[in-house]
Amino acid sequence: MFESPNPEVVVSEQPAPPWRTRPRSRAPRQALSQQAVVDAALAVISREGLGGLSMRRVAQELGTGPASLYAHVSGREELLELVVDRASAEITVPEPDAERWTEQVRDVARQAYRVYATHTELALASLATIPTGPNALRVTDGLLAILRSGGVPPQPAAWFLDRLFLYIAGDAYEGALYAEKVRASGQDRAAWWARMRAQLSGYYRSLPPERYPHLREHLEELMAGDGDTRFDFGLDLLIQGVAAHVPRRE
């Protein structure tokens, strides 16, 4: 029921949110589709980052004028929604299993994290994008079904999903920022992080012990764990928190 659809399926049949104003349909100057526009937007983002995305730039990518794009998308905001939704097509959601609901939530969240870690600019875009596309809605609906199957009441389940996606996107985007620093340094990832840890450790050890006794005492713990380990730790905290809302069985 919740299997991921083919990401090549055109999503224009999805009803538009009520706040979006659709321009009148017009015939494009060349054979375009919403799919082609989204593909071009992804290409622009991959090369130039989210800041380089504009209707004019996408039109240049397609070899046409900006006006021809408005037959398929209403503007940059909708284009961002469609691009983020495309990434969500890579996430599969299983049928709810009440006995394994926490494991299922964890698996879907890790998939989403890998998607955003791969499409790093989309992590930033998703922070200001309400899920309205068919793929994002499929994932959200599927996760809600899993939570409800595990006995999580509707309100905690809804708020959990909001916090969960914020956590995933924020963590992935932070990783993207660090990746940019690594690229700018010209070093490989392992060497850059080794140098950074050594510098941080030296700095913390140089701090006045009478002012920062706990930082100095627990330096090893503060520096332990890679990004995936820390992500899993935070994910477990979120899942345990929402699980606490499940009514106890008498």
Side-chain angles (χ1 to χ4, degrees), residues 15-22 132:
W19 60 84
R20 184 182 299 153
T21 301
R22 285 281 187 179
T132 56

Side-chain angles (χ1 to χ4, degrees), residues 88 112 142 188 221 223 237:
S88 298
D188 64 70
E221 291 83 0
M223 302 295 294
L237 289 180

Side-chain angles (χ1 to χ4, degrees), residues 50-134:
L50 197 61
L53 182 66
S54 67
M55 296 294 281
R56 181 174 298 278
R57 184 65 191 85
V58 173
Q60 291 173 348
E61 185 76 13
L62 291 166
T64 186
S68 64
L69 304 186
Y70 289 98
H72 306 284
V73 294
S74 61
R76 186 177 185 274
E77 183 176 347
E78 182 186 3
L79 187 55
L80 276 177
E81 292 177 12
L82 293 171
V83 167
V84 171
D85 191 70
R86 172 72 65 81
S88 298
E90 301 177 27
I91 303 170
T92 60
V93 183
E95 291 283 353
D97 183 342
E99 300 300 319
R100 300 178 55 253
W101 74 269
T102 58
E103 181 181 339
Q104 289 184 318
V105 170
R106 187 176 292 106
D107 175 66
V108 175
R110 285 171 176 161
Q111 288 185 61
Y113 178 66
R114 287 194 295 271
V115 167
Y116 283 141
T118 302
H119 307 286
T120 51
E121 292 290 340
L122 300 187
L124 176 60
S126 72
L127 291 172
T129 302
I130 299 171
T132 56

Side-chain angles (χ1 to χ4, degrees), residues 19-49:
W19 60 84
R20 184 182 299 153
T21 301
R22 285 281 187 179
R24 281 186 278 178
S25 178
R26 64 188 75 176
R29 287 181 296 175
Q30 63 177 15
L32 291 178
S33 67
Q34 190 178 83
Q35 185 75 26
V37 174
V38 173
D39 287 341
L42 280 168
V44 171
I45 291 173
S46 297
R47 289 197 306 270
E48 303 172 25

